[in-house]
Each structure stands twice: as C-alpha cells, then as structure tokens.
Amino acid sequence: MVHTRPAPALNLRFAPMQTSEAIAPTTSEDELGRGGLNLVLFPGEPSELLMLFENTSAEPISIEVRLEGNFPSHWYHIRLEAHDIAPYKRMEGVLRFQVPDSFFEDDHALSPRQVLTLDYRMDVVVAYQHQVPLNDPQLTAHNTANNTDNHTELRQQRRLEYMGLNLFVRPRTRLSELLPAVYREVDFMHRYLQVFEQALRPIIETTEALTRYLDPLTAPEALLPFLAHWVAWPMDELPLLPNQQRRLMRHAMEIYQWRGTRRGLRLFLHYATGLPLDDQLSEGDRAISIQESSNQAFTLGDVHLGPNATLGRGRPYHFIVTLRPDTTDTIHPPLIHRIITQEKPAHCTYDLHIEPRPT
C-alpha cells in the first residue's frame, strides 16, 4: 500500500487489488519515471487499484480524478462513489485497467517496424477544493472589499495531489507458478518460460480439456469409436446419427442396467429419438408408451365349443409400443423396429404404432 504526502484537507491512499509481481522495466528509469506504485497488467485480465479518500477538514470537499500519461484512455475506467465528501468522512474509488486480450497478437505488435510499448508511466491526479463557511472572517473581508453579497459562496484555491503509477504489460506465464518463490521474483524467468509455454500451449490446452475428450457429448467425432469400445457399445449395428450415438454412449451403462425391461426399452427409444420420458403422465398418455396386450388366449367356464372352434390364437407376452412425436416424419420406423427387436426379450412379440402427438 502506497501513501501520498499528507494534504491539509484530503488524505489519499492507494491499494492494488492484486499481489505485486517481479518487474524488470524495458525502458530506462528516466523515461519511465522514478518512484510510484508498480502494477503488472496481463492482457485480457482486469486489474483494479483501490483509491481511498478521507476528508480531514470540517467542510465538504469536491474531488476530481484523472490520469495523465501515455497509457491509452480506452484501457482504463475511473469509478467514484460520489464527487463530494462530507466533513470527516471517507469515500472509495476504483481505477480499473484492462489490456485487450490480443495485445501481443495484433498487427501493430507483430509488425517488424513497430516497437511495442510494454511499460507505461501514469500520474493519478486528484484535484479537490472545499467550501469556506459563510461566517469565516476572511470571507467577510473578501466580500466587503469586492462589494459582493456576504452570502456568496467562495471556494478555496484548487489543490492537486499526484501519485506516480508505473504500468507493465506482461504475458501471463503459467509455468512460472511451478517454480520456487525465489525464482518467481526474477522477471527474466517469466519471459524465458513464456517461450516454452507458447510452444507447449496446444498440449497444455488439450490436457486441461481432457474431460471433454472423454465425454461422448463433447468429444471429437473421430474419437467416438474409441469411447464406444470403452463401454462396449455397438456403433455399427444401428444406423444412427452421430448426435444419437453420443447420447446413447453417454447413457450406455444405464441402458445396460435396465436391458430387457420396459424402462430399458423406453430409455433406449428416448435417447435415440429425443422424445420425452413423461414420467409424470400415465402410460397411455406418454410420448413413448409401452403397454402390455390385454388379449386373452381363452377362458374356461360355462362355454360350449362348436365344431369350428379353435384354441391358442391369443398372443401371450405381447406388448404395444406407441410413439407420439410432434410430426411423424421425424421418426424412422425401420430404425425403431431394429431397436425394439434388439432390446426386447426373445420370446416377446410387439406391435408398433406411430401417431402425431395430440394438440
């Protein structure tokens, strides 16, 4: 935390909202300026400087903050709680800096004739003034000498306070975080490791996103056969689109667990067609309805069988699958038949009905 010299009516303090970094300026001290607060800015990452204002006088103070220097104005923003500070009160403000993410990749940075500025010198200028009370003897004498109304407000001479600010734009180096603290204090090490990080960045990004490569929903299409082998999923047996295969492989273990049951067949059709499960609805109203057949083979009772009567025409172990999509053209019947034949018990028979969902 850096303190400026005490002022008669205004006390200033500045605190960076980040830990300080080791810095080796690329410009001379004469060009950069001596003293002040050092801030390291990483392209694409916001950095803030907290400003604390304290009015130590008995009168309200009006303040104005501006920055002077060679740092581009569209790379920083000044935010104050207010422009007036009541007597003996405090106020906070924030200086927010953000260098463009493409700072090191822009055309001007890559041009061989262009010198890229990495070090900037700024001055935080705080202009303030406070009102003199109306009963002040100096105010009365001033107004009498100038034949002005005694109730006219008079502001004291404007005062300025300065705080030097050195801004250093540096690339973010993750490899340096693996070094012992004594080596992280040397700016040359950050620059040196940045060369290797640029070359290894594709490998690092792949490693950091490894979970995405192992998830069928986000993995590259070329990796799907490898993931299918992990869960023993037969990709070539059903003519499914890649998105359908992704969903089925993602939930393969759940489908295996319920295979041969009504729930297992419903899950398979749900992930293959995208139709909802509708667990809150009754079986006959679902978008994927699987109902057992109510036909009976025969009933023994007070019955007389004629010469043309036959027995055994019932359909035991029979079920009916009804799909209700929004439009029937989104369902491919041959695919549905192959799925049902694959997932049902071998001794069961079925009927398939595809009808539009009622509006």
Side-chain angles (χ1 to χ4, degrees):
M1 184 175 294
V2 178
H3 295 262
T4 63
R5 62 180 179 82
L10 183 65
N11 184 24
L12 304 178
R13 288 182 297 170
F14 298 87
M17 302 300 291
Q18 65 180 30
T19 58
S20 59
E21 300 281 349
I23 287 301
T26 58
T27 56
S28 64
E29 292 187 356
D30 293 337
E31 295 176 353
L32 184 61
R34 298 177 181 273
L37 182 66
N38 295 334
L39 283 182
V40 182
L41 306 179
F42 300 104
E45 301 181 17
S47 179
E48 294 184 345
L49 177 66
L50 180 64
M51 302 179 293
L52 304 175
F53 307 92
E54 182 180 5
N55 184 359
T56 60
S57 68
E59 295 83 27
I61 290 180
S62 298
I63 66 172
E64 178 186 350
V65 180
R66 67 177 185 271
L67 267 62
E68 298 178 352
N70 61 343
F71 195 74
S73 59
H74 57 282
W75 289 358
Y76 67 85
H77 175 70
I78 302 174
R79 185 173 68 251
L80 301 176
E81 292 182 356
H83 292 279
D84 297 321
I85 309 177
Y88 305 111
K89 296 295 183 180
R90 297 179 179 179
M91 187 185 72
E92 294 183 356
V94 173
L95 274 174
R96 180 184 176 89
F97 303 92
Q98 185 160 6
V99 180
D101 188 33
S102 59
F103 178 81
F104 289 103
E105 288 80 22
D106 286 339
D107 293 338
H108 72 278
L110 302 176
S111 176
R113 301 180 180 179
Q114 181 72 27
V115 178
L116 187 61
T117 303
L118 301 179
D119 304 336
Y120 298 87
R121 171 68 182 186
M122 301 290 291
D123 286 322
V124 182
V125 181
V126 181
Y128 69 96
Q129 53 190 3
H130 65 275
Q131 295 180 353
V132 179
L134 297 177
N135 58 356
D136 193 300
Q138 296 181 359
L139 173 62
T140 303
H142 179 276
N143 292 340
T144 302
N146 293 276
N147 296 322
T148 57
D149 186 359
N150 288 338
H151 293 283
T152 302
E153 295 182 353
L154 175 67
R155 291 186 179 275
Q156 287 188 345
Q157 183 180 3
R158 199 175 193 185
R159 297 176 181 268
L160 299 177
E161 287 293 329
Y162 295 88
M163 198 277 293
L165 185 61
N166 299 319
L167 304 175
F168 304 92
V169 180
R170 297 292 186 269
R172 169 67 75 179
T173 307
R174 298 182 181 180
L175 293 179
S176 62
E177 298 175 359
L178 306 177
L179 296 176
V182 63
Y183 294 106
R184 292 200 300 267
E185 296 176 358
V186 182
D187 183 61
F188 170 76
M189 293 300 299
H190 294 264
R191 296 169 178 267
Y192 180 71
L193 291 177
Q194 182 65 24
V195 178
F196 297 95
E197 186 167 328
Q198 290 287 345
L200 298 176
R201 178 169 296 177
I203 301 177
I204 295 175
E205 292 178 351
T206 302
T207 304
E208 292 179 346
L210 185 60
T211 55
R212 298 182 181 180
Y213 286 87
L214 301 180
D215 189 340
L217 298 180
T218 56
E221 187 171 347
L223 199 60
L224 291 182
F226 172 74
L227 298 179
H229 179 72
W230 270 18
V231 294
W233 186 258
M235 285 191 61
D236 300 331
E237 292 186 5
L238 295 175
L240 296 170
L241 298 175
N243 289 338
Q244 295 172 314
Q245 292 283 14
R246 290 176 185 273
R247 291 196 300 266
L248 290 168
M249 281 190 292
R250 181 66 173 81
H251 301 276
M253 302 309 298
E254 183 181 11
I255 294 174
Y256 291 156
Q257 180 182 1
W258 293 97
R259 192 166 193 178
T261 65
R262 176 186 298 182
R263 178 178 176 82
L265 178 58
R266 195 194 314 275
L267 286 174
F268 202 121
L269 294 174
H270 164 64
Y271 294 123
T273 64
L275 294 177
L277 292 175
D278 294 330
D279 291 333
Q280 73 281 4
L281 301 178
S282 61
E283 188 65 41
D285 297 330
R286 293 183 175 184
I288 304 175
S289 174
I290 304 175
Q291 294 179 300
E292 295 181 8
S293 176
S294 59
N295 295 333
Q296 298 179 352
F298 61 90
T299 302
L300 296 178
D302 188 11
V303 181
H304 297 279
L305 300 178
N308 298 324
T310 57
L311 299 177
R313 286 190 176 181
R315 307 178 72 181
Y317 309 110
H318 184 79
F319 61 92
I320 301 172
V321 178
T322 304
L323 302 183
R324 299 183 178 92
D326 294 333
T327 57
T328 56
D329 56 352
T330 59
I331 301 298
H332 188 51
L335 173 62
I336 304 302
H337 281 291
R338 292 188 62 177
I339 292 175
I340 298 175
T341 302
Q342 173 182 302
E343 295 300 307
K344 73 177 182 65
H347 62 280
C348 293
T349 58
Y350 72 94
D351 287 330
L352 174 63
H353 301 288
I354 301 177
E355 56 188 40
R357 178 176 294 188
T359 57

